[in-house]
Amino acid sequence: MPRFSLIVPCFRVQGFLRECLDSVLEQSFRDIEVIAVDDRSPDGSGAILDEYAARDPRVRVLHLPENVGLGRARNAGLPYATGDYLLFLDSDDTLTAGALGAIADRLAEAGDPDVLVFDYARTYWWGGTRRNALAEVLSATDGVFTAAERPEILDLLMVVWNKAYRHEFVANNGFRFPPGYYEDTPWTFPVLLGAGRIATLDRICLNYRQRRQGNILSTTSRKHFDVHDQYRRVFEYVDSHPELAGWRPYLHRKMGEHCLDILAKPDRLPPAAKGEFFRRTAELYRAYRPEGAGLGVLGGSYASYRLRQQAGRIARESGRQALRVRRAAAGRARRALTGAAGHRAPDEHLVLYSASSHQGLRGDPAAVYRKAREIAPELRGVWVVKDAEVAAGLPADVEHVLLDSPEYRRLTARAKFLVNDVNWPGALVKRPGSVHIHTHRGTPLKYLGADLLDKPGARLGLDVPQMLRRADRWDHSLVANRHSELVWERAYPCHFASARTGSPRNDVLVEGGPTDFRARYGIPADHTVVLYAPTRRDYVRGGHAERIDLARFAADLGEGHTLVVRLHPALATGPARGAGLAELHRRGIVVDATGEPHGEQVLLAADALVTDYSSVMFDYANLDRPIVVHADDWAAFTASRGAYLDITAEAPGHVSLSYPELAALFASGAWRDAESARLRAGFRSRFCEFDDGRAAERVVRTLLLGEPMPAAAVRVPEPAPGHDLLAST
């Protein structure tokens, strides 16, 4: 008896079916059976199913004599399923890599619940990906529960394919799919309401394909009237289970919202049928109305409903128009304020700070701010933050201002110094006498600025000329080495002076400052911490490419090791962490440090760094600890993005070109051998030459206070011989 039975109904999906089946059969977890149901498909789907069955004994094909529709095709496959758990996979969707293994692990951990709900991502025909907007519901608990204990589980999309069902639970309750559209509704509500033990898995296990055409629910048809019968079936189930009577108000509201959502969709109902659909919805809403419940918009006529909708659209458009007017007025006010302030000298003691697109105290600007408070208390430092949520996370003694607020505009017109690690907004007008200090965000390896003009894929959506116009405001560009100085002058052909200060945020690395990272994450003091910090890819839409099986790497590192993962900041809020990282963190297999705001605290806690092409390697080299470069896709990366040096030839340590090579480096101990130390020494001498632990002080004294700095504070060794791709320029 297999662990999983996957039931896959097929109808007119020959263009997607192979990808679907491959995503199942190529899973590392192999204790499965596939019940593929050919719903009398008129295309080549049936032949494709027979082809797969002929070469893989785990696939069984059922050819139906007539087309019965999606729900009844699933029913047809149920009697042939022998697995402990049932999964239903639509034949144009795909499982993500490692999904079945993750589901199996979670089921075992939860003690075989009746239902396991897992996450999914919408994948669009044009290549975009968007994670389930209610993913946080899945991460709220590690235990099991009932719908009554956590009713928010019913707010998730009412679909069948984001769940694993205990076979015995389904059989004992006689759950089956009805005919017609929206067949998932009278399955999912009874299943979740009837389940005694529900568990969740905070991992994207399925890619829900959003087809440009051919999606049944996006087809204009009277078949959408089926939703009314489906909700009647839901209420029939509740009526037959008196213990569920308390759910009637919730289901009544859910039914009304669902039906009105269908009515509002422009591609669902024929225009001539919309009035009838509204009336039938209202009749159903009245029929199942709980005592004391109102009717809302469904209590009136379709004509009055349309008037309400039209009024709402007018109000929204008026709001947008008012917003445009306010923005135009704000622009005029900014220009007027700047003109008025232009007659006054800047406030010599006012410094505005921003970091990571106004995310709060981070990076180089934060290091400069702290040093200024220490040695130049006469300077008033004010942080620009993007919203009230970021402001709430600031220490109580940190002065701040919200972006685009009147106070922000007043201060930008008065400040002598503006310190940032990314460009200030385009609307900010640089005043005569003000000084812009640009800190950057690390030593550059991959192409930036004007160099991206030759890389159309990497600059997709990026307005390079506009970016350069913003860089025209820079007065000082901080550099940690002469490589950076050369790169910035080429990538940003603007009028600024390079300041050989070092990177302020690296002062704590040079000095070996304290970190509480291990204690906060419960990492044993005697463990060897290996930090894996990959960068984003421009050749993959969304930027995330899983180059390493994290669970396997953590296991291969063995006892006494902790694998810490820190994704690129651009991936922190997208679907990347939901592809498995969040679940591995919850289970204690790895530590997810992607959300840590202060990267230097993570670096200080790590005994070794594994990265690919992230600039974090240049910072970490200051610690003089082992670095391994995993460059298995270097050719693809450089072709799509471009690089200023060949990191595989001038690496700060050993280079692996495949996962077996990476695992062998750690198994053999070579990751920290004499050759690793030799390579690291050459790398440090070249790329850490201005990092001496006094970078922040140097910025404050020389650029903010205008004081001299002893020349001895800057160590400038001879550059290591290499093949800098910029040398000829």
Side-chain angles (χ1 to χ4, degrees), residues 394-566:
L394 298 175
D397 62 343
V398 173
E399 187 177 356
H400 68 274
V401 63
L402 296 184
L403 180 68
D404 286 336
S405 66
E407 183 65 3
Y408 162 80
R409 292 190 286 272
R410 189 184 72 82
L411 291 179
T412 54
R414 293 288 296 133
K416 172 69 174 182
F417 303 101
L418 294 95
V419 182
N420 202 343
D421 61 2
V422 295
N423 267 315
W424 291 95
L428 189 151
V429 178
K430 185 181 181 184
R431 286 195 52 227
S434 65
V435 177
H436 284 234
I437 300 171
H438 195 76
T439 70
H440 302 283
R441 293 203 284 179
T443 293
L445 171 60
K446 50 184 176 282
Y447 275 10
L448 295 159
D451 293 322
L452 292 176
L453 291 172
D454 291 330
K455 296 293 180 180
R459 63 177 170 83
L460 180 66
L462 177 66
D463 187 335
V464 174
Q466 182 188 68
M467 178 173 57
L468 296 181
R469 286 192 295 272
R470 295 181 179 184
D472 284 333
R473 298 174 297 194
W474 302 352
D475 293 288
H476 300 285
S477 166
L478 306 192
V479 298
N481 47 66
R482 281 175 282 185
H483 162 81
S484 295
E485 185 173 333
L486 185 60
V487 166
W488 298 137
E489 290 180 5
R490 164 177 162 166
Y492 297 97
C494 307
H495 297 290
F496 58 81
S498 292
R500 294 182 172 184
T501 58
S503 294
R505 71 178 184 280
N506 287 344
D507 288 348
V508 67
L509 302 182
V510 175
E511 297 167 355
T515 176
D516 64 348
F517 179 82
R518 289 190 182 219
R520 284 190 288 113
Y521 285 88
I523 301 174
D526 61 344
H527 269 214
T528 297
V529 173
V530 178
L531 171 62
Y532 175 51
T535 192
R536 69 185 306 278
R537 264 65 173 175
D538 293 289
Y539 65 80
V540 177
R541 185 179 288 273
H544 179 59
E546 293 187 46
R547 308 304 308 174
I548 292 177
D549 183 332
L550 298 177
R552 178 182 176 186
F553 189 30
D556 288 345
L557 287 174
E559 292 293 328
H561 293 76
T562 294
L563 177 61
V564 176
V565 181
R566 184 173 174 84

Side-chain angles (χ1 to χ4, degrees), residues 3-4 85 87 95 98-108 116 118 163-164 201 203 205:
R3 185 59 166 163
F4 296 132
Y85 276 84
L87 290 97
L95 296 181
L100 293 181
I103 293 171
D105 290 343
R106 182 70 182 106
L107 288 171
L116 174 70
F118 49 81
K163 303 171 184 71
L201 173 60
R203 185 192 194 278
C205 295

Side-chain angles (χ1 to χ4, degrees), residues 41 126 156 195 300 386 423 426 469 476 540 569 616 623 640 688 690-691 726:
S41 184
W126 41 266
L156 296 172
K386 69 173 186 176
N423 267 315
R469 286 192 295 272
H476 300 285
V540 177
V616 73
L623 290 167
S640 62
C688 302
F690 303 148
D691 281 337
L726 292 178

Side-chain angles (χ1 to χ4, degrees), residues 146-225:
T146 64
E149 292 167 336
R150 285 191 56 209
E152 62 270 21
I153 197 70
L154 297 178
D155 291 333
L156 296 172
L157 193 64
M158 283 292 107
V159 290
V160 65
W161 39 254
N162 66 340
K163 303 171 184 71
Y165 310 88
R166 190 165 60 85
H167 196 167
E168 186 178 7
F169 166 68
V170 171
N172 289 345
N173 285 274
F175 294 126
R176 289 294 184 273
F177 293 93
Y181 283 13
Y182 306 100
E183 75 292 334
D184 286 3
T185 299
W187 167 282
T188 307
F189 276 121
V191 163
L192 290 179
L193 293 177
R197 302 175 72 249
I198 302 172
T200 58
L201 173 60
D202 182 17
R203 185 192 194 278
I204 297 173
C205 295
L206 182 138
N207 290 320
Y208 176 29
R209 189 187 300 273
Q210 306 294 289
R211 292 160 66 175
R212 183 171 180 268
Q213 292 181 348
N215 186 332
I216 292 176
L217 292 185
S218 294
T219 302
T220 302
S221 167
R222 287 184 60 89
K223 290 287 288 179
H224 294 283
F225 280 78

Side-chain angles (χ1 to χ4, degrees), residues 488-701:
W488 298 137
E489 290 180 5
R490 164 177 162 166
Y492 297 97
C494 307
H495 297 290
F496 58 81
S498 292
R500 294 182 172 184
T501 58
S503 294
R505 71 178 184 280
N506 287 344
D507 288 348
V508 67
L509 302 182
V510 175
E511 297 167 355
T515 176
D516 64 348
F517 179 82
R518 289 190 182 219
R520 284 190 288 113
Y521 285 88
I523 301 174
D526 61 344
H527 269 214
T528 297
V529 173
V530 178
L531 171 62
Y532 175 51
T535 192
R536 69 185 306 278
R537 264 65 173 175
D538 293 289
Y539 65 80
V540 177
R541 185 179 288 273
H544 179 59
E546 293 187 46
R547 308 304 308 174
I548 292 177
D549 183 332
L550 298 177
R552 178 182 176 186
F553 189 30
D556 288 345
L557 287 174
E559 292 293 328
H561 293 76
T562 294
L563 177 61
V564 176
V565 181
R566 184 173 174 84
L567 300 181
H568 188 279
L571 304 175
T573 58
R577 296 166 81 179
L581 178 56
E583 173 64 9
L584 293 176
H585 174 85
R586 187 195 64 79
R587 292 167 54 198
I589 295 174
V590 305
V591 171
D592 177 12
T594 304
E596 280 289 314
H598 305 296
E600 64 275 9
Q601 294 295 306
V602 185
L603 299 186
L604 284 165
D607 298 299
L609 170 68
V610 177
T611 186
D612 36 40
Y613 326 116
S614 171
S615 64
V616 73
M617 73 178 78
F618 299 98
D619 298 336
Y620 191 76
N622 281 287
L623 290 167
D624 197 18
R625 299 174 189 172
I627 302 173
V628 174
V629 174
H630 185 58
D632 67 332
D633 64 341
W634 176 243
F637 182 85
T638 52
S640 62
R641 180 61 185 249
Y644 294 114
L645 58 95
D646 184 351
I647 199 62
T648 64
E650 303 177 74
H654 289 294
V655 176
S656 59
L657 300 178
S658 66
Y659 179 76
E661 289 183 14
L662 175 64
L665 284 172
F666 281 90
S668 66
W671 61 279
R672 54 182 173 184
D673 62 10
E675 176 64 6
S676 170
R678 184 190 70 80
L679 292 169
R680 187 167 68 254
F683 190 85
R684 290 180 70 236
S685 70
R686 181 178 181 192
F687 295 109
C688 302
E689 56 180 323
F690 303 148
D691 281 337
D692 63 351
R694 300 183 68 187
E697 179 187 358
R698 189 168 296 111
V699 172
V700 174
R701 293 196 184 280

